[in-house]
Structure formats: C-alpha cells, structure tokens
Amino acid sequence: MSHNTARKLDSKNAVLYLPDGQSIELPVFTGSENEGAVDISRLRSQTGHITMDPGYGNTGSCQSEITFLDGEKGILRYRGIPIEQLADKASFVEVAYLIVYGKLPNQTELDAFTDNLNHHALLHEDMKNFFSSFSGQAHPMAILSAMVASLSGYYDAASTAERSGDVDTNAARLISKIRTLAAFSYKKSIGQPFVYPDDSLSYCANFLQMMFAVPARDYEPDPVVVDALNLLLILHADHEQNCSTATVRTVASSHANLYASVAAGILALWGPLHGGANQKVIEMLENIRADGGNIKKFVDMAKDKDSGFRIMGFGHRVYKNFDPRATVIRKACDKVLDKLGIEDPVLDLAKQLEEVALSDDYFIERKLYPNVDFYSGIIYRAIGIPVNMFTVMFALGRLPGWIGQWKELMDDPTHRITRPRQIYQGQTAVDYVAIEDRV
Ligand code: CMC
C-alpha cells in the first residue's frame, strides 16, 4: 500500500499572509473521500511561525487507509466497508484481520489467523503471579495496562525500528492474550480460580467462558450473549485518530515496541472523556435513578457550566450529527435485553434522557448526540460484565485498531517522531538568585 506517497495534490496552493509581511504558498491535497488538507510542514522553517491547535481539532497527524469517518453525515467505515454491514454480518476476528491486514480474510486466511490466536491464548505461567500483587481495589484498567506492558518482558518485542520480533506473531499474541488477561483480572478480583482458554470455542465464547465458568459446574456460553459481545467488539474496533490511537501512534513514533505502545493506549482510553465514559454513563444513570429519576434536573445541571457535570455518553469531537455506532447499539439493546428476558429500568431512563436532551436547545445548538458509550454499558451489564470492566471491554474491541495503526505507522518510511511545538508564555530570562537573597 502506498498511502504515504499517494497524495492527490491540488493544482492551486493555499497562500498564507503573515502580519510581518511574509507570505508562503502551502500545498493543498485531498484524500480519497475528498477531504482537503493544507500541508504546513515547511511553515516554521520558512517563516519562523507555527500553528496553534489545542486538542488538534484541525490537525491531521498522518495519512491512513484504515478508517473513514464523516462526522457530519454519521458515516463510519473500516477499510471502506460500512460499520452497519460489518455489525450485521461479520465476526470480530474477521474485522480484526480486516483492520490489521487491509482486507477481509478468505477462509484459508481466517482459519490460519484463528489457529494463530488459539496458539497464543495462554499466558506465561509466571505472569499469573502478577495478579496477586495488585490490591483488591485496583481498577481493571490499571491491571490491564500493566499486564500488557509486561508482555514485552516475556515475548520478543515487536519494535520495527530494530526489526526485532515478528510483528504478525506479536499482533496475534496480543489480540489473543488480552482476552485472557482481562478474564484473569476479573477472576482474581472476585477470588475465583483462573479458567484457561479453550481452543474449541470462538473468540467471544472463549472469553466468556474464561470470565464466567467455575470448576464446580458446566458452563455453556449463551449464543445471544456471544453475539452481543461480538457486535460490541466490532463497533469499537477502530475509530481513526482518537485520543488512545493517537497515543499509540505517538509512543510508536519513538520506536517503542507494540506492547508498550498499546499499554499507553489503554491508559489514554481509561479517561472518562474517552473510553472511561461507558462506566461513567451507568454510574450517572444509577445516580439519576437513586435521585428519583428527575431527568430535567440533570439536564439543567449539564447546561450549567459551574456544575462541572456533563451528560456522560453525549457529545463527540467528530460526530456532529449522530454516532452510527450508537444507532446500532441502541437497537441491539432492546433486542438483547428482550432475548435475555431482562428488564433494566436504566434503559428506560437512558431513552428518556436522550429524548429530553435531544429536544433541548443547548444540545441542539452544540450538536450533542448520544455516542458509542451511551448505550453500550446497558448491554454489557445485561450480559454479566461488571461495571468496572466496561472500559476493559472497550480496550478488547479497540485493540485491532491500535495494532493496525501501529503497523501502518511503522510501515511508513517517512514517519517521524511525534514532537509538537509550543508557544512559550513563561518568564523571560532572569538571573539565578542565591537562597539567602530570595524573598
Ligand atoms: N454534556 C454537556 N455539555 C457538553 C457535553 C456533554 N456531554 N459535551 C460537550 N458539551 C458542551 C461543552 O461544554 C461545550 O459547550 P460551550 O461551547 O458552551 O463551551 C460544547 O458542548 C463543545 O464541547 P467540547 O468539550 O469543546 O467538545 P470536545 O470535542 O472537546 O469534547 C467530548 C468531546 C466527547 C470529550 C465531550 O463531548 C464530552 O466530554 N462528552 C462526555 C464524555 C463522553 O461521553 N465521552 C465519550 C466520547 S465517545 C467515545 C470515545 O471516544 O471514547
């Protein structure tokens, strides 16, 4: 693939005029979906100026062939395939392959990939001891990130800079072992024995068995639960340059190995403005319920900037129409709960909250819609995942994206270490003052 050289340059350049009289012509180019970009890479060397874009809302950090999303139209595609089609037809393992390798696998490729995942499902036995070292209160995201970083101490780390380690093997190891790590951390937290992976099960069924089976009785993963998990993992599999993926790329740009880069991504995901929102949504809905279900009170609080409260699971940096993942999950919520015979009052509250917020000028003007995290927790809860594991589930889903983006960056011969600039606003030069002379 040639994304790094495939720049469709516009015939006309942009021209930037600076107050000091300088001007510079800047090349303009478009992506395959006609998004335009102004290339400012020579701006500082030619004019001494940099651009300011806190939060990088207007900054393209790379060219990528993995995911396209159009926030205005509510479009999300992995490698060109609409998310709705993948959600309806694919398995998570197929989607992981698609994202990492750029195409849907044929049967032979899928079988080989599945065998590879099975082959790598076990953890090094010594790693089991790590789980005992965490306090009982440790958040599963703290455990997961530490364990993923620790994998580099056990397996040949895939740093492409030195070309040490086989990237494909390490990718399969990680996609497979993250399931085992997540399930073991849960078992440890509830004091149950670890359940080892079982090659005869599908990716999702295998995870559910490691989570919920106990030696005392048989466990058969419910197909409804397996399908629901498969759907949620697919919907989370990649989302172009979000905070955690940008973190993975930033860490990878220093030629850190795959495990180290992904561990950093897991930590970025943990924050409540990003993946941690799925846990916060359920906690918020439970608070609203405990408070008597007064939705208007919470909507008013979210509109009051002094309250510091936001409706979790609402709003998105890129989606300004609707989040197509939320649309799929909302529909799935009703279906899954219905099939499992579960009535969750929090689902009704979520729907009421959505209705009130979407008809309120504050939310309309700011184009704030439910995002992927708004309804996902309700399904996770219905299939037995504890609330503090919700963000771990997001990490399981997002892993193929992190790996695909890590690989894309490493395969790009033109990539450079990520190193933004700043505008210094601090004290200008002053002399050192001896301690006895300081006020
Ligand atoms: N509730 C109330 N007001 C909000 C919310 C919200 N959830 N989200 C944004 N706003 C307001 C914000 O106060 C600001 O108002 P004003 O223009 O008057 O200052 C305006 O909307 C724009 O918000 P912003 O913070 O500048 O937008 P952003 O693009 O920097 O942040 C966001 C995006 C997702 C961090 C933010 O919408 C948010 O905090 N949402 C709640 C947390 C959440 O659900 N996160 C999950 C995101 S989707 C999945 C993922 O990435 O993990």
Side-chain angles (χ1 to χ4, degrees), residues 242-258:
N242 57 85
C243 177
S244 57
T245 303
T247 301
V248 169
R249 276 189 178 257
T250 294
V251 175
S253 79
S254 75
H255 294 180
N257 71 57
L258 179 64

Side-chain angles (χ1 to χ4, degrees), residues 273-275 305 310-311 313-317 362 366 371 373:
L273 298 189
H274 191 11
K305 301 280 187 236
R310 282 185 169 199
I311 300 213
F314 252 75
H316 197 276
R317 170 62 60 80
Y362 174 96
R366 289 169 182 76
N371 59 48
D373 294 317

Side-chain angles (χ1 to χ4, degrees), residues 36-85:
V38 179
D39 180 348
I40 55 145
S41 54
R42 290 179 296 114
L43 183 63
R44 187 172 181 279
S45 63
Q46 296 196 358
T47 70
H49 287 71
I50 61 168
T51 54
M52 277 303 277
D53 186 19
Y56 301 144
N58 303 280
T59 298
S61 60
C62 61
Q63 297 189 77
S64 178
E65 295 182 352
I66 301 176
T67 289
F68 172 70
L69 74 87
D70 181 327
E72 275 72 34
K73 295 192 184 131
I75 293 173
L76 172 61
R77 300 184 198 128
Y78 301 155
R79 304 281 187 186
I81 305 176
I83 191 65
E84 294 80 5
Q85 290 181 24

Side-chain angles (χ1 to χ4, degrees), residues 333-347:
C333 245
D334 282 320
K335 246 199 228 161
V336 173
L337 268 63
D338 193 42
K339 279 192 190 164
L340 294 174
I342 294 173
E343 275 184 30
D344 189 341
V346 149
L347 176 58

Side-chain angles (χ1 to χ4, degrees), residues 414-436:
T414 67
H415 87 259
R416 303 172 74 200
I417 189 165
T418 302
R419 206 306 187 180
R421 295 232 174 213
Q422 63 166 21
I423 292 294
Y424 177 68
Q425 299 284 19
Q427 172 68 59
T428 49
V430 287
D431 288 328
Y432 175 83
V433 179
I435 193 157
E436 58 277 15

